[in-house]
Amino acid sequence: MTTADRIAPEGYVPRIVDDEMRRALAAMPAVLIEGPRACGKTWTGRRFAGSAAYLDDSAGAALDAGMSPASLLEGESPRLLDEWQLAPKIWNPMRRACDTVDGAGRFILTGSVDPPDDITRHSGAGRIIRVRMRPMSLFESGESDGGVSLADLLEGDGSSAPDSGLALNDVLALACRGGWPRTRQADTETAGDAARAYLDEISRTDVSRVDAKERDPVRVGRLLASLARNAATEVKHTVLAADTAAAGEAPLERRTVADYLTALKRLFVVEEVPAWRPHLASRAQARRAPKIHLADPSLTAAALNVGVDQLIRDLRFAGRLFESMAIRDLQIYARANRCSLSHYRDSDGLEIDLIIQQSDGRWAAAEVKLGGAAAIEKGARTLQRLQHKLNQERTGDPSALMVITASGYAYQRKDGVSVVPMTALGP
């Protein structure tokens, strides 16, 4: 039986990353699945594993006390080492085991924390390949039929798909529910309670366990709320620092904010979308600051304790929450197509929500809008303005220009800009 033929655990919902897992297991002795807690890493690991060891603090303590790692490493390949960072001394024996057995697909590791460099200082180069997982996209959870493929758009094919029938409030409810496998069939209230509990656990426990450094859970919670308020923006550390202080308190120092952010990034709870710096034909200067957002829009909604009703009354913030959901999904679809995401802003005030760059240098651009004819028209003009500012000889023409909307029909405008609802987009 090959790795790709293994029987999935009962109830397993196929993930886009499954294809990447097959390739990775065929290429390297060990595959490390990384991503935020509860995004489905263990189930995906089980999907491909021949045997498993579920690690915890007691396993780490036993290794510290001198237990042989053989009991954890021996088993049918691929051997799943779940949440390996809880027993970090397993890393070097695992790495050595990769050298003693010929062939690929020996181990699968899952990790909810990007460990300190001193743990993985002995290189995994040539032995270990990393696979990044995120919460489920709308395509994976079944709310997008995938009628419009990102792969096809990047090849210059037009878009066409019927209206899914979902209204704006339905799509915002999906954002509030989030892409967590355990709550994908829950109502928004139940999913919101789960997301708030998730953030509370991050603030109280996880953020201090990253590197055994105590951090103030109240301040961490305030920082998460500030990140949520500033989702999908280039927020400055000074703004985040000010938001961590209650009345009469001094704000955190900027270096402390940076330390907290580093810990949250290592938990894969906070992500940055870097700035794109193309060759411009004008004298405008491309900005370098990344956009920052939480790993799932449900965390943004939960941190601010907002639901669909409040979002409908504040469509400006609702647009940013929707952009955060679009970023989550497009990170997944882009990775499936070996692309990377960035954003663009320059000194002339031109901003583009997403740049999708292919490995061969080709690129596409997307504006994210809740919907409506005026918003779509504005997004299309913004995309065309970017195209005219670029040095075409150095950057080349875009593979696609697209306005991503919350719902409605997918179609291609006469100017070549594709209008694509998230409820029709897939990899």
Side-chain angles (χ1 to χ4, degrees):
M1 178 183 291
T2 67
T3 297
D5 292 330
R6 294 193 184 280
I7 298 173
E10 184 178 356
Y12 183 74
V13 177
R15 305 295 296 269
I16 292 172
V17 78
D18 289 351
D19 284 341
E20 185 178 356
M21 282 293 298
R22 293 185 183 95
R23 296 194 304 270
L25 285 165
M28 288 285 183
V31 177
L32 172 55
I33 311 173
E34 297 180 312
R37 183 162 53 86
C39 73
K41 300 182 303 298
T42 298
W43 274 64
T44 294
R46 286 177 58 193
R47 163 71 179 85
F48 294 95
S51 62
Y54 299 96
L55 306 184
D56 54 20
D57 289 332
S58 63
L63 288 172
D64 288 341
M67 180 187 79
S68 169
S71 61
L72 298 177
L73 295 177
E74 291 179 357
E76 183 183 352
S77 297
R79 176 76 163 165
L80 172 62
L81 304 174
D82 189 51
E83 296 295 353
W84 77 271
Q85 79 280 349
L86 298 177
K89 287 195 174 180
I90 200 65
W91 177 269
N92 284 332
M94 179 278 302
R95 183 181 60 86
R96 288 192 292 271
C98 289
D99 293 336
T100 60
V101 179
D102 290 335
R106 178 69 179 89
F107 295 105
I108 299 171
L109 297 85
T110 71
S112 299
V113 178
D114 188 13
D117 290 339
D118 59 343
I119 293 178
T120 57
R121 64 182 178 274
H122 297 296
S123 173
R127 308 174 183 91
I128 300 167
I129 188 169
R130 294 174 186 247
V131 170
R132 179 65 183 271
M133 282 192 71
R134 293 177 169 84
M136 301 177 88
S137 65
L138 294 183
F139 178 72
E140 291 170 299
S141 58
E143 283 84 23
S144 168
D145 63 10
V148 178
S149 163
L150 178 63
D152 289 343
L153 289 168
L154 295 175
E155 290 301 317
D157 295 339
S159 58
S160 178
D163 190 335
S164 68
L166 294 178
L168 175 59
N169 60 328
D170 297 321
V171 176
L172 293 177
L174 294 175
C176 293
R177 185 206 65 191
W180 308 103
R182 289 179 183 172
T183 54
R184 70 185 181 90
Q185 295 181 321
D187 57 63
T188 53
E189 183 176 356
T190 301
D193 290 341
R196 283 185 286 274
Y198 188 106
L199 290 174
D200 183 58
E201 193 66 20
I202 291 291
S203 301
R204 289 191 309 104
T205 306
D206 292 1
V207 79
S208 295
R209 291 185 62 174
V210 166
D211 50 13
K213 183 188 295 186
E214 288 297 322
R215 295 180 174 89
D216 184 343
V218 174
R219 295 285 187 119
V220 173
R222 291 175 188 161
L223 177 60
L224 286 166
S226 182
L227 290 166
R229 274 191 295 274
N230 295 283
T233 70
E234 302 163 70
V235 61
K236 296 181 179 179
H237 285 194
T238 51
V239 173
L240 298 174
D243 283 349
T244 62
E249 290 183 342
L252 290 175
E253 295 184 3
R254 289 181 62 185
R255 62 184 178 183
T256 304
V257 170
D259 173 71
Y260 281 25
L261 283 174
T262 297
L264 292 170
K265 290 174 192 174
R266 287 179 52 194
L267 289 166
F268 306 103
V269 173
V270 169
E271 285 202 60
E272 290 183 343
V273 177
W276 188 48
R277 301 191 66 201
H279 298 286
L280 299 174
S282 70
R283 293 189 175 185
Q285 298 294 312
R287 302 303 192 189
R288 300 185 181 184
K291 278 187 178 181
I292 198 163
H293 66 102
L294 300 181
D296 190 85
S298 65
L299 300 181
T300 301
L304 300 176
N305 199 27
V306 299
V308 176
D309 291 343
Q310 295 99 316
L311 291 169
I312 290 294
R313 292 194 294 269
D314 185 357
L315 289 179
R316 184 171 182 178
F317 181 76
R320 295 219 309 274
L321 183 70
F322 175 63
E323 181 179 340
S324 185
M325 181 165 70
I327 288 171
R328 178 201 66 192
D329 286 15
L330 278 163
Q331 290 277 25
I332 297 168
Y333 305 157
R335 186 176 178 99
N337 286 283
R338 293 184 171 88
C339 298
S340 60
L341 290 191
S342 55
H343 77 98
Y344 177 83
R345 184 169 73 91
D346 65 29
S347 55
D348 289 341
L350 177 60
E351 298 184 38
I352 302 294
D353 293 328
L354 288 171
I355 303 294
I356 305 163
Q357 190 141 24
Q358 297 166 267
S359 56
D360 61 6
R362 290 180 295 160
W363 62 279
E367 278 283 274
V368 181
K369 304 293 182 183
L370 284 178
I376 291 171
E377 182 62 32
K378 181 180 178 181
R381 288 200 307 269
T382 300
L383 292 166
Q384 290 164 346
R385 184 180 167 197
L386 171 68
Q387 186 175 9
H388 294 150
K389 292 187 77 168
L390 296 177
N391 183 328
Q392 300 294 321
E393 291 184 358
R394 304 286 297 277
T395 307
D397 288 323
S399 300
L401 299 175
M402 63 192 90
V403 177
I404 297 174
T405 62
S407 58
Y409 294 92
Y411 60 94
Q412 189 169 48
R413 291 162 45 106
K414 292 180 179 179
D415 57 13
V417 175
S418 292
V419 178
V420 186
M422 285 301 302
T423 50
L425 188 60

